[in-house]
Amino acid sequence: MDASLPALVVVVPMLAAILTALAGRWWRRHAWPVALLATAFAAAGSLRILWRAVHEGVVLYRMGGWPVPTGIPYRIDLLNGIVLAMVACVSFLSVLWMRESVKREIRQAGQASYYAVVLLFTTGFLGITITGDVFNLYVFLEIASITSYVLVAMGRRREGLFAGYQYLILGSIGATFVLIGIGHLYMATGSLAMTDIAARLSGALVDHPSVVHTSFAFITVGLAIKMALFPLHSWQPGAYTYAPSSASLLMAATATKVAAYAFYRFAFTVFGTHYVTARLPQVMDGIMVMAAAAMVVGPLFAVRQDNLKRMLAYSSVGQIGYVVLGAALVNASAMTGSIAHFWNHAASKGALFAVVGIVVLRSGSPHIDNLRGLGRRAPWTAAAMTVAALSLVGVPLTGGFVTKYYLALGTLETGRGVLLAFILLSSLLTAVYMWRCLQRVWFADPDLEPAVTREAPWTMRVATLTFGAACLVFGVFAWIPVDIASAAARALLGEN
Amino acid sequence: MLEFLLSHYNYAIYIALMMIGLYAILARGNLVKKIIGLNILQTAVFLFYISIGKVDRGTVPVIWPAGERPPGFENVPYENPLPHVLMLTAIVVGVSVTAVALALIVRIKAAYGTVEEDEILEADELRDREGDA
Amino acid sequence: MMRPHTESLVVRFIARRSVPFIQLFALYVVAHGEDGPGGGFQGGVIFASAFILLALTEGWGRGRSRMPEPVSDALMPAGALLYAGIGLVALLLGGGFLQYASLAVGGDQHAQHLAHHFGLIGIEVGVTITVAGSMVTLFFEMARPKHFLNVPRRRRRHRPDPDA
Amino acid sequence: MILLDVLSALGLLLGTLILIVTALGVVRFPDFYSRLHAAGKGDTLGLAFVLLGLVATAGLSLVSLKLVFIVFFVFVLNPTATHALARGAWVCGVRPWRATGEPFLQREGQMTDEERDEVVDDHTGGA
């Protein structure tokens, strides 16, 4: 059982998705418990795998028992483990959260299929994270993408249909680019297993350097679309705004960051640190500029939004900049900050979207004025929101501060102090739009009747508070994520 | 230069197809035509993969039982079957994406009454303005 | 509403007679998938095309009645279940996921070889069922005529006069 | 043996010739019906000749049996499909081309333009 856990973590949600799709027609009400159990298993299993990765270094599993270059290996090191645990735990909390929201937002006949799609979505992202085979990664990337198009389009407003379509077009172009890149990689090295490619790449670089460069270019651009890096982010605000609240929560907390993980994996494991630093320093500089621009432009757009979902979507555009910046700097401290941000951003954005979902459930619209008086009528929800907002801004004792501290350290160590200004400006702008929310939550005119009149149902409250508590835990007990993240960063960079 | 192009014509074709596909996606306002462009783009990738699996004078990658190799096939190399298998998967993925896209278009047509991008955007803008008022 | 049965007797006769041949050919393609061109995906598509042909010639409703919605809806996950189930059983019997040989617990090498074959064929059948179900669903959902039910024959829809 | 080779070569040549003529017809004929006429007839016969030529090469074997099956099905199904297409076009009101350019008015069994609009709307789930 323990040995085949890597396979089970992916297979169990997939099997649950099939079962909900099959039986959901007759036993509609059992879809939620099945989804909850499956994601709980995935969460527990992925934490166990992370535990093993921390102690053993690398957890390896061979699909169908085939040896590595022939078959598909599942390979989990610290970086995988972190992202895997993030995806699985967020999925579990989201499914826990979404019961009431789905009842309200999805038509009754579609609810079972909705849970099936959510489970497949989870399967896709778990698969991207866990696999050690580049083509398998592409297949899971497409599973995850197709399910997210469907999730976006399942919203109640017709704008969701078109947002889903636009996401589909851009997402498919991105995935196709990744596929082309993988093709060039296969052409240059003749292998698909990540470690195998890495071993053969130095030879390929001597024989066909241009093929390898083309491959890197295609994969980088493809994944940049998938992770909504600044100039390529146009699909994201529409998709997050018009998706059902539960889908927004799930996607905002996982989707783009898993694409960012795939970029880490390709850049540092497959192509190798030496390749990106010695052969392509300008490219990494370019990515750094994009990340820095994203950090400022995302919040800049977010400040002007009155629709909370759209505001948080633009905020995500900014936050992915933090995740990518660490990779672009190729520095252990900065990368520690970025890898820790996988967890910190999942916690804070998860909490914020959970709160917005509660506001939508209780008041019917995600307009910012519906937050008025939330602090009086729903103190627990408001507290979670406050902690998450502080973490997003980067106040000490919250997770966001840890990220920004290590990123700042990294910029200074690499002699790029200018970036510090970008980090500070980004935090300032984040503080502005988060203050717009918090001011309405706590300091609204007491004469106005609040749009949200009572607390959320307990399932929602538990999940929201867990997200909020995670923001605090990662800030107060900062050594837990930082130790793992810095070990992962040093392993990626080949420093020990 | 010409010799290089002639010996690498498969790449030229795949790049041309890719550009046609991307152009169709970007320049066409009709949602269905965009999907056709996407399919052309994907087909370009299939062609690319299959062409890199081609071995000069290669034969079918079939393991013959010992001593049963047909005459003329004793010492020939065989084609690399792996890219074909990968493309089988990619084709299935492409079909799924197309299916989802067409399903979305059917719903869009029902909701907006049109499949032209500019008309949809116009309708959305109109509704936004009415919502503000 | 269009007149439901515009197809001529010839077309309907030929289409109905060719359905069993198409289905037989689909099974042939599936069975060949293990050691030749063919396989579950292709077989599934061919199998589904038989139902699509019926719908094209006999009208949407009579085509759908041969493969009712609950059936095709159940077929899609059922095939996937067969696939994942075989993989999971192999895993629970002590092998890896999809390691078919471990389906023959305690068997000799010959039994393992056989188990490998049967596992592979089982997977192919699962793929066939899923693909056939998906294709049929896709066609019938896309081609569903508006107001399919309860529309009198040759009803003229009221259209407001644009000049009025 | 030589006779079979000659037969096969003849079949292949004749078949490809007919297929080329078919392609030419599809490109050059003026309207739907005449193009269908070229495609339906030429395709069936050309394909049959090519396949029969291949049968002559393969001799008495399983491959030949399969080829004969294909010829049989092509002979039955191609005309049926052509018939269905032509009839569908006629019912939907596609008017044949006239060299003199005089209009071909609606005939019995054809839809009027309004009826055709309705059908199109029904199939696209129109507004």
Side-chain angles (χ1 to χ4, degrees):
Chain A
M1 182 75 173
D2 202 30
S4 45
L5 208 51
L8 283 174
V9 163
V10 180
V11 170
V12 166
M14 185 174 82
L15 214 60
I18 297 167
L19 283 177
T20 16
L22 187 64
R25 213 185 162 79
W26 299 282
W27 297 291
R28 196 178 295 137
R29 289 198 312 192
H30 293 70
W32 181 73
V34 169
L36 192 69
L37 278 179
T39 46
F41 176 84
S46 64
L47 285 174
R48 165 76 190 150
I49 292 172
L50 177 63
W51 178 264
R52 276 178 64 194
V54 168
H55 288 272
E56 297 167 27
V58 173
V59 179
L60 197 66
Y61 179 81
R62 295 188 190 85
M63 269 289 157
W66 294 94
V68 163
T70 319
I72 295 170
Y74 278 5
R75 189 174 173 281
I76 303 102
D77 57 14
L78 281 175
L79 180 64
N80 278 17
I82 288 173
V83 183
L84 189 70
M86 185 268 287
V87 173
C89 293
V90 167
S91 312
F92 169 64
L93 287 175
S94 304
V95 172
L96 177 67
W97 181 89
M98 71 175 55
R99 186 169 67 160
E100 310 297 326
S101 174
V102 168
K103 268 186 200 160
R104 176 78 177 267
E105 291 188 6
I106 310 293
R107 69 193 167 83
Q108 209 174 27
Q111 286 176 4
S113 1
Y114 185 80
Y115 284 112
V117 177
V118 164
L119 284 167
L120 271 183
F121 175 93
T122 308
T123 310
F125 280 116
L126 289 172
I128 297 175
T129 318
I130 210 167
T131 189
D133 180 281
V134 285
F135 194 80
N136 199 229
L137 186 141
Y138 163 76
V139 173
F140 276 121
L141 186 71
E142 282 286 23
I143 293 177
S145 307
I146 293 172
T147 46
S148 15
Y149 312 146
V150 175
L151 283 181
V152 170
M154 273 176 129
R156 272 187 311 173
R157 288 168 61 106
R158 66 174 187 176
E159 283 91 338
L161 293 172
F162 193 56
Y165 180 85
Q166 282 177 318
Y167 182 16
L168 183 141
I169 291 286
L170 272 174
S172 300
I173 294 176
T176 309
F177 276 18
V178 172
L179 182 61
I180 296 173
I182 290 170
H184 281 90
L185 211 51
Y186 178 71
M187 195 165 120
T189 61
S191 179
L192 289 170
M194 286 175 182
T195 45
D196 205 35
I197 295 176
R200 296 183 190 194
L201 202 76
S202 53
L205 265 175
V206 176
D207 297 337
H208 317 283
S210 55
V211 179
V212 179
H213 296 330
T214 315
S215 159
F216 187 75
F218 270 116
I219 289 176
T220 307
V221 175
L223 288 177
I225 295 176
K226 283 281 177 200
M227 68 175 111
L229 193 56
F230 160 55
L232 304 172
H233 68 275
S234 61
W235 58 266
Q236 199 195 30
Y240 285 11
T241 310
Y242 298 118
S245 303
S246 43
S248 303
L249 164 62
L250 195 56
M251 280 165 54
T254 56
T256 51
K257 282 196 295 299
V258 173
Y261 152 77
F263 176 68
Y264 270 84
R265 183 54 82 203
F266 271 108
F268 296 107
T269 304
V270 177
F271 287 93
T273 314
H274 177 75
Y275 175 76
V276 291
T277 51
R279 300 294 287 263
L280 299 171
Q282 303 89 343
V283 172
M284 287 318 252
D285 282 353
I287 294 171
M288 188 183 73
V289 171
M290 281 158 78
M295 276 160 42
V296 176
V297 174
L300 205 60
F301 277 109
V303 169
R304 306 169 0 151
Q305 304 302 331
D306 283 336
N307 183 326
L308 285 170
K309 278 178 158 184
R310 197 177 279 275
M311 173 194 284
L312 292 180
Y314 276 115
S315 158
S316 284
V317 172
Q319 297 289 316
I320 205 72
Y322 290 105
V323 176
V324 177
L325 189 66
L329 284 173
V330 200
N331 167 279
S333 308
M335 217 183 262
T336 305
S338 291
I339 294 176
H341 205 52
F342 280 116
W343 276 351
N344 292 331
H345 181 243
S348 53
K349 205 40 76 60
L352 287 171
F353 264 105
V355 172
V356 172
I358 291 172
V359 171
V360 172
L361 179 80
R362 288 290 187 229
S363 71
S365 124
H367 195 275
I368 191 166
D369 281 338
N370 286 344
L371 284 174
R372 271 196 295 234
L374 190 73
R376 272 178 288 143
R377 297 300 173 92
W380 286 110
T381 314
M385 176 164 195
T386 310
V387 173
L390 293 179
S391 174
L392 210 60
V393 176
V395 173
L397 288 186
T398 59
F401 176 73
V402 179
T403 306
K404 292 188 183 178
Y405 173 73
Y406 277 95
L407 271 178
L409 214 61
T411 56
L412 294 177
E413 279 173 15
T414 48
R416 291 193 168 104
V418 187
L419 288 174
L420 213 55
F422 281 85
I423 296 176
L424 285 176
L425 187 59
S426 166
S427 306
L428 204 67
L429 287 167
T430 310
V432 171
Y433 66 74
M434 276 293 124
W435 174 247
R436 286 184 70 206
C437 300
L438 291 184
Q439 184 235 344
R440 283 170 172 76
V441 171
W442 296 111
F443 307 110
D445 189 347
D447 297 338
L448 285 171
E449 184 56 31
V452 178
T453 47
R454 57 201 167 97
E455 266 295 3
W458 71 268
T459 46
M460 282 181 147
R461 219 181 314 165
V462 169
T464 313
L465 285 175
T466 314
F467 275 126
C471 297
L472 272 183
V473 168
F474 294 146
V476 176
F477 305 99
W479 65 87
I480 306 170
V482 166
D483 278 356
I484 305 177
S486 75
R490 275 184 279 114
L492 271 191
L493 293 174
E495 301 168 11
N496 279 311
Chain B
M1 185 64 197
L2 188 67
E3 201 182 338
F4 177 82
L5 271 183
L6 282 179
S7 60
H8 293 74
Y9 68 96
N10 54 332
Y11 303 116
I13 295 173
Y14 121 73
I15 289 167
L17 269 180
M18 199 168 104
M19 290 305 143
I20 293 170
L22 278 175
Y23 176 80
I25 295 172
L26 296 178
R28 295 290 152 192
N30 186 313
L31 302 188
V32 180
K33 287 182 182 166
K34 274 176 189 284
I35 295 303
I36 295 173
L38 195 64
N39 281 332
I40 296 175
L41 178 66
Q42 284 166 341
T43 311
V45 184
F46 305 155
L47 183 69
F48 164 64
Y49 266 80
I50 302 244
S51 71
I52 63 174
K54 170 82 185 142
V55 173
D56 202 17
R57 271 172 311 216
T59 177
V60 283
V62 172
I63 300 175
W64 298 96
E68 279 184 33
R69 279 199 147 208
F73 287 88
E74 285 88 4
N75 287 315
V76 270
Y78 58 86
E79 308 261 330
N80 184 354
L82 188 64
H84 297 239
V85 178
L86 299 184
M87 280 314 98
L88 208 59
T89 315
I91 288 169
V92 176
V93 167
V95 169
S96 320
V97 171
T98 312
V100 171
L102 289 177
L104 278 180
I105 292 172
V106 169
R107 302 264 309 266
I108 286 175
K109 170 81 180 174
Y112 287 87
T114 174
V115 289
E116 293 293 332
E117 193 176 21
D118 43 355
E119 288 171 25
I120 293 169
L121 289 173
E122 217 168 87
D124 276 353
E125 237 166 64
L126 204 69
R127 194 152 150 176
D128 275 359
R129 235 177 293 143
E130 280 166 4
D132 289 346
Chain C
M1 188 61 208
M2 79 182 284
R3 285 154 282 185
H5 303 300
T6 52
E7 290 304 345
S8 71
L9 185 68
V10 179
V11 177
R12 285 168 60 196
F13 178 84
I14 297 287
R16 241 182 289 164
R17 292 302 178 278
S18 51
V19 162
F21 291 103
I22 296 174
Q23 291 175 339
L24 199 64
F25 182 61
L27 296 182
Y28 168 84
V29 168
V30 175
H32 256 244
E34 203 189 356
D35 61 351
F41 189 76
Q42 293 87 330
V45 172
I46 296 172
F47 198 82
S49 72
F51 291 93
I52 294 174
L53 180 68
L54 267 182
L56 284 176
T57 53
E58 306 270 323
W60 193 91
R62 289 180 68 176
R64 198 49 161 157
S65 70
R66 307 292 172 90
M67 176 76 103
E69 203 170 328
V71 176
S72 66
D73 277 5
L75 279 186
M76 289 186 281
L81 190 67
L82 185 59
Y83 189 115
I86 288 177
L88 201 67
V89 166
L91 195 147
L92 294 179
L93 290 179
F97 185 67
L98 290 180
Q99 192 171 6
Y100 316 113
S102 57
L103 288 172
V105 183
D108 54 358
Q109 204 174 4
H110 178 69
Q112 286 188 350
H113 195 68
L114 219 61
H116 188 89
H117 277 278
F118 278 113
L120 212 58
I121 291 172
I123 295 273
E124 287 290 339
V125 171
V127 172
T128 314
I129 293 173
T130 301
V131 170
S134 313
M135 288 294 154
V136 168
T137 310
L138 268 177
F139 172 80
F140 281 107
E141 286 309 306
M142 302 262 163
R144 183 198 291 276
K146 202 174 162 197
H147 315 305
F148 173 71
L149 297 168
N150 305 327
V151 178
R153 256 178 122 171
R154 304 223 53 185
R155 186 197 56 137
R156 283 287 175 83
R157 192 183 303 155
H158 171 71
R159 280 166 188 273
D161 189 358
D163 296 326
Chain D
M1 232 44 231
I2 290 183
L3 183 69
L4 274 183
D5 281 349
V6 169
L7 268 182
S8 138
L10 265 181
L12 288 176
L13 264 177
L14 199 60
T16 30
L17 200 69
I18 294 173
L19 284 175
I20 290 171
V21 171
T22 305
L24 204 67
V26 171
V27 177
R28 289 295 300 160
F29 277 154
D31 77 333
F32 179 79
Y33 294 106
S34 46
R35 284 180 189 186
L36 195 65
H37 169 81
K41 288 201 168 90
D43 230 25
T44 315
L45 197 64
L47 204 61
F49 270 118
V50 169
L51 291 176
L52 288 177
L54 290 175
V55 168
T57 341
L60 271 181
S61 66
L62 190 63
V63 177
S64 291
L65 188 68
K66 288 179 188 172
L67 286 172
V68 170
F69 267 128
I70 297 177
V71 172
F72 172 74
F73 280 115
V74 164
F75 252 92
V76 175
L77 296 180
N78 246 8
T80 316
T82 314
H83 170 71
L85 274 174
R87 195 187 150 92
W90 175 260
V91 170
C92 287
V94 177
R95 316 280 196 258
W97 174 83
R98 288 295 182 84
T100 50
E102 70 192 76
F104 192 100
L105 298 174
Q106 193 207 348
R107 298 291 163 88
E108 197 194 337
Q110 283 192 317
M111 290 184 190
T112 61
D113 287 344
E114 295 98 65
E115 276 178 317
R116 189 167 51 178
D117 284 350
E118 271 187 37
V119 171
V120 171
D121 274 358
D122 273 338
H123 273 269
T124 49

